[in-house]
Every structure is written in structure tokens, then in C-alpha cells.
Amino acid sequence: DSGVTQTPKHLITATGQRVTLRCSPRSGDLSVYWYQQSLDQGLQFLIQYYNGEERAKGNILERFSAQQFPDLHSELNLSSLELGDSALYFCASSGDRGPDGYTFGSGTRLTVV
Amino acid sequence: AQSVSQHNHHVILSEAASLELGCNYSYGGTVNLFWYVQYPGQHLQLLLKYFSGDPLVKGIKGFEAEFIKSKFSFNLRKPSVQWSDTAEYFCAVNANSNDYKLSFGAGTTVTVRA
């Protein structure tokens, strides 16, 4: 157990639907990062939140959004899902030690059918 | 465009063989460099990292990597692999001190045959 908790572990949904992925960071970590891992794109950075505020944005589609709540957990919302959104979505957290303290969760495997 | 390149997509080798995985990046300026490993069905785990100082860094499980600034490279090595080293290996770069996002290479799948 890395200390970063992601739920659910698996998710199967239909095209056009909306899902929410949840991430609880390691205790004390203020930053949460979302990554998408797919066979054709590899590991892509989506978005980073730090203490409730968006800090960096990567290749995140407009259909996707995220937020970080006061208790520091984060949610990634994926809407109008397409087959190509099927991927493993990882969350990572870090403290003020920056990338030195990066810890990944086990991921949520999303399958869009 | 800034990128991280891993030269080998899939490497197959026998136990006790030596392993070297290439990684090149195209970012200018100061970078922090990492190698992560992903065992089947598991999350990414940090193998080693380079921030500054000695360009030869040692990580866990007998892995080491050498930072060569002039070549923009950070190659991963292990003198003698074991079957348990079968995994996917990712090189990653953090190129911005204001955020800690990582840019990953495409990954190299390593299969070690017993």
C-alpha cells in the first residue's frame, strides 16, 4: 500500500456516460496529480492540484475536469465518454519535497464499451 | 517540442544478463530525472532519482543510472537481472521548479527469462 488510495479499481461504462474517479492522497501531501496511461499514448499528465487550487494543466480534454476538496482528496470527472477514453488513470501525491516525494496510487482501470 | 524518449520498446533477456535501458530528454535548463518501475498489475514505484551532484546514482534492487548532461541522457543499468525484474520501466523528467509534474517516456517492457 503506497498510501495513495484510488477508487474504484475498475469501472466499466458505456459511451456517452459520465464517471467520477476518486483519489485520497498520502497523509500530509498537499499536491495531487492525475495521469492517464493508455497503450497508444503512454503515461500522460492531465492536471495537478495543490491545496485546493489548480497548479498545472497538461493534455486534459475539455470533457474532463478535476477538483481538490478541503480534505485534500481529489476527483477526476470524465464526461461524454468515448471508446478512446479507456485507460488506466493514476493519481499521485507529493508534499513540499516535490517530485522527490511523489507517490502513485494503484490506478482506476476505466473501460468504455 | 520537449519530450522524453526511451529507445527500446521491449527487451527480452535471460537471468544474469546485464541490462541497459536508454533515456534521452529534450528539455533545456535544470531537470530532475527519475526511473520508475511498474510490476504487472501494480502502481509505479520509484527506482532512483537524480537532482544534482554525482551523476552516477544508485537506486533500489541493484539498479543504477548515469546522467550525462552533454548527451541529455539518463540511462538505467543493472549488471545482473533476475526473473523478478520483469516489469515495465519508465524514465521521467521534471523540468519546472514551480510544479512537480512529470513527463514520462513511452516505457520499456523488460522480460527476463529464467
PDB file of all heavy atoms in Angstrom, chain A residues 55-68:
ATOM      1  N   ARG A  55      -2.779  23.880 -10.214  1.00  0.00           N
ATOM      2  CA  ARG A  55      -1.421  24.410 -10.332  1.00  0.00           C
ATOM      3  C   ARG A  55      -0.844  24.196 -11.720  1.00  0.00           C
ATOM      4  O   ARG A  55      -0.100  25.025 -12.214  1.00  0.00           O
ATOM      5  CB  ARG A  55      -0.501  23.769  -9.302  1.00  0.00           C
ATOM      6  CG  ARG A  55       0.965  24.182  -9.466  1.00  0.00           C
ATOM      7  CD  ARG A  55       1.794  23.862  -8.274  1.00  0.00           C
ATOM      8  NE  ARG A  55       1.652  24.855  -7.221  1.00  0.00           N
ATOM      9  CZ  ARG A  55       2.448  24.935  -6.156  1.00  0.00           C
ATOM     10  NH1 ARG A  55       3.411  24.056  -6.006  1.00  0.00           N
ATOM     11  NH2 ARG A  55       2.262  25.857  -5.240  1.00  0.00           N
ATOM     12  N   ALA A  56      -1.146  23.098 -12.341  1.00  0.00           N
ATOM     13  CA  ALA A  56      -0.602  22.825 -13.672  1.00  0.00           C
ATOM     14  C   ALA A  56      -1.594  21.995 -14.458  1.00  0.00           C
ATOM     15  O   ALA A  56      -2.345  21.193 -13.893  1.00  0.00           O
ATOM     16  CB  ALA A  56       0.740  22.102 -13.579  1.00  0.00           C
ATOM     17  N   LYS A  57      -1.593  22.236 -15.748  1.00  0.00           N
ATOM     18  CA  LYS A  57      -2.517  21.543 -16.615  1.00  0.00           C
ATOM     19  C   LYS A  57      -1.743  20.920 -17.764  1.00  0.00           C
ATOM     20  O   LYS A  57      -0.861  21.546 -18.346  1.00  0.00           O
ATOM     21  CB  LYS A  57      -3.549  22.538 -17.150  1.00  0.00           C
ATOM     22  CG  LYS A  57      -4.910  21.961 -17.425  1.00  0.00           C
ATOM     23  CD  LYS A  57      -5.922  23.087 -17.612  1.00  0.00           C
ATOM     24  CE  LYS A  57      -7.318  22.552 -17.744  1.00  0.00           C
ATOM     25  NZ  LYS A  57      -8.329  23.627 -17.838  1.00  0.00           N
ATOM     26  N   GLY A  58      -2.094  19.701 -18.089  1.00  0.00           N
ATOM     27  CA  GLY A  58      -1.437  19.014 -19.188  1.00  0.00           C
ATOM     28  C   GLY A  58      -2.415  18.766 -20.313  1.00  0.00           C
ATOM     29  O   GLY A  58      -3.252  19.589 -20.637  1.00  0.00           O
ATOM     30  N   ASN A  59      -2.315  17.576 -20.875  1.00  0.00           N
ATOM     31  CA  ASN A  59      -3.157  17.235 -22.024  1.00  0.00           C
ATOM     32  C   ASN A  59      -4.529  16.742 -21.593  1.00  0.00           C
ATOM     33  O   ASN A  59      -4.930  15.624 -21.893  1.00  0.00           O
ATOM     34  CB  ASN A  59      -2.472  16.160 -22.867  1.00  0.00           C
ATOM     35  CG  ASN A  59      -1.127  16.634 -23.383  1.00  0.00           C
ATOM     36  OD1 ASN A  59      -0.975  17.780 -23.781  1.00  0.00           O
ATOM     37  ND2 ASN A  59      -0.138  15.758 -23.354  1.00  0.00           N
ATOM     38  N   ILE A  60      -5.249  17.584 -20.904  1.00  0.00           N
ATOM     39  CA  ILE A  60      -6.557  17.183 -20.407  1.00  0.00           C
ATOM     40  C   ILE A  60      -7.639  17.684 -21.348  1.00  0.00           C
ATOM     41  O   ILE A  60      -7.653  18.842 -21.747  1.00  0.00           O
ATOM     42  CB  ILE A  60      -6.781  17.685 -18.963  1.00  0.00           C
ATOM     43  CG1 ILE A  60      -8.069  17.117 -18.386  1.00  0.00           C
ATOM     44  CG2 ILE A  60      -6.712  19.193 -18.872  1.00  0.00           C
ATOM     45  CD1 ILE A  60      -8.210  17.281 -16.890  1.00  0.00           C
ATOM     46  N   LEU A  61      -8.515  16.778 -21.739  1.00  0.00           N
ATOM     47  CA  LEU A  61      -9.601  17.137 -22.642  1.00  0.00           C
ATOM     48  C   LEU A  61     -10.604  18.035 -21.937  1.00  0.00           C
ATOM     49  O   LEU A  61     -10.753  17.998 -20.718  1.00  0.00           O
ATOM     50  CB  LEU A  61     -10.302  15.862 -23.131  1.00  0.00           C
ATOM     51  CG  LEU A  61      -9.429  14.854 -23.900  1.00  0.00           C
ATOM     52  CD1 LEU A  61     -10.204  13.570 -24.141  1.00  0.00           C
ATOM     53  CD2 LEU A  61      -8.946  15.452 -25.204  1.00  0.00           C
ATOM     54  N   GLU A  62     -11.336  18.810 -22.738  1.00  0.00           N
ATOM     55  CA  GLU A  62     -12.367  19.689 -22.154  1.00  0.00           C
ATOM     56  C   GLU A  62     -13.487  18.886 -21.516  1.00  0.00           C
ATOM     57  O   GLU A  62     -14.182  19.381 -20.628  1.00  0.00           O
ATOM     58  CB  GLU A  62     -12.932  20.612 -23.244  1.00  0.00           C
ATOM     59  CG  GLU A  62     -11.971  21.715 -23.616  1.00  0.00           C
ATOM     60  CD  GLU A  62     -12.621  22.756 -24.515  1.00  0.00           C
ATOM     61  OE1 GLU A  62     -13.859  22.688 -24.700  1.00  0.00           O
ATOM     62  OE2 GLU A  62     -11.906  23.621 -25.021  1.00  0.00           O
ATOM     63  N   ARG A  63     -13.669  17.646 -21.967  1.00  0.00           N
ATOM     64  CA  ARG A  63     -14.698  16.775 -21.380  1.00  0.00           C
ATOM     65  C   ARG A  63     -14.313  16.283 -19.987  1.00  0.00           C
ATOM     66  O   ARG A  63     -15.118  15.699 -19.276  1.00  0.00           O
ATOM     67  CB  ARG A  63     -14.929  15.560 -22.293  1.00  0.00           C
ATOM     68  CG  ARG A  63     -15.393  15.889 -23.689  1.00  0.00           C
ATOM     69  CD  ARG A  63     -15.667  14.632 -24.487  1.00  0.00           C
ATOM     70  NE  ARG A  63     -14.458  13.942 -24.914  1.00  0.00           N
ATOM     71  CZ  ARG A  63     -14.039  12.788 -24.419  1.00  0.00           C
ATOM     72  NH1 ARG A  63     -14.720  12.186 -23.451  1.00  0.00           N
ATOM     73  NH2 ARG A  63     -12.946  12.211 -24.877  1.00  0.00           N
ATOM     74  N   PHE A  64     -13.061  16.503 -19.630  1.00  0.00           N
ATOM     75  CA  PHE A  64     -12.556  16.051 -18.333  1.00  0.00           C
ATOM     76  C   PHE A  64     -12.399  17.260 -17.413  1.00  0.00           C
ATOM     77  O   PHE A  64     -11.991  18.341 -17.845  1.00  0.00           O
ATOM     78  CB  PHE A  64     -11.202  15.355 -18.478  1.00  0.00           C
ATOM     79  CG  PHE A  64     -11.212  14.084 -19.279  1.00  0.00           C
ATOM     80  CD1 PHE A  64     -12.367  13.578 -19.850  1.00  0.00           C
ATOM     81  CD2 PHE A  64     -10.031  13.384 -19.471  1.00  0.00           C
ATOM     82  CE1 PHE A  64     -12.359  12.402 -20.587  1.00  0.00           C
ATOM     83  CE2 PHE A  64     -10.001  12.215 -20.207  1.00  0.00           C
ATOM     84  CZ  PHE A  64     -11.169  11.721 -20.764  1.00  0.00           C
ATOM     85  N   SER A  65     -12.658  17.062 -16.153  1.00  0.00           N
ATOM     86  CA  SER A  65     -12.423  18.120 -15.175  1.00  0.00           C
ATOM     87  C   SER A  65     -12.017  17.490 -13.856  1.00  0.00           C
ATOM     88  O   SER A  65     -12.238  16.291 -13.632  1.00  0.00           O
ATOM     89  CB  SER A  65     -13.670  18.986 -14.984  1.00  0.00           C
ATOM     90  OG  SER A  65     -14.720  18.211 -14.420  1.00  0.00           O
ATOM     91  N   ALA A  66     -11.418  18.277 -13.012  1.00  0.00           N
ATOM     92  CA  ALA A  66     -10.987  17.757 -11.720  1.00  0.00           C
ATOM     93  C   ALA A  66     -11.155  18.825 -10.667  1.00  0.00           C
ATOM     94  O   ALA A  66     -11.316  20.009 -10.973  1.00  0.00           O
ATOM     95  CB  ALA A  66      -9.522  17.294 -11.788  1.00  0.00           C
ATOM     96  N   GLN A  67     -11.133  18.389  -9.437  1.00  0.00           N
ATOM     97  CA  GLN A  67     -11.126  19.336  -8.325  1.00  0.00           C
ATOM     98  C   GLN A  67     -10.499  18.682  -7.114  1.00  0.00           C
ATOM     99  O   GLN A  67     -10.423  17.447  -7.037  1.00  0.00           O
ATOM    100  CB  GLN A  67     -12.536  19.840  -8.009  1.00  0.00           C
ATOM    101  CG  GLN A  67     -13.562  18.770  -7.737  1.00  0.00           C
ATOM    102  CD  GLN A  67     -14.958  19.357  -7.534  1.00  0.00           C
ATOM    103  OE1 GLN A  67     -15.104  20.453  -6.996  1.00  0.00           O
ATOM    104  NE2 GLN A  67     -15.980  18.660  -7.973  1.00  0.00           N
ATOM    105  N   GLN A  68     -10.037  19.523  -6.206  1.00  0.00           N
ATOM    106  CA  GLN A  68      -9.490  19.040  -4.954  1.00  0.00           C
ATOM    107  C   GLN A  68     -10.274  19.692  -3.828  1.00  0.00           C
ATOM    108  O   GLN A  68     -10.450  20.907  -3.796  1.00  0.00           O
ATOM    109  CB  GLN A  68      -8.003  19.362  -4.823  1.00  0.00           C
ATOM    110  CG  GLN A  68      -7.352  18.736  -3.594  1.00  0.00           C
ATOM    111  CD  GLN A  68      -5.862  19.053  -3.488  1.00  0.00           C
ATOM    112  OE1 GLN A  68      -5.392  20.073  -3.980  1.00  0.00           O
ATOM    113  NE2 GLN A  68      -5.121  18.172  -2.832  1.00  0.00           N
TER     114      GLN A  68
END
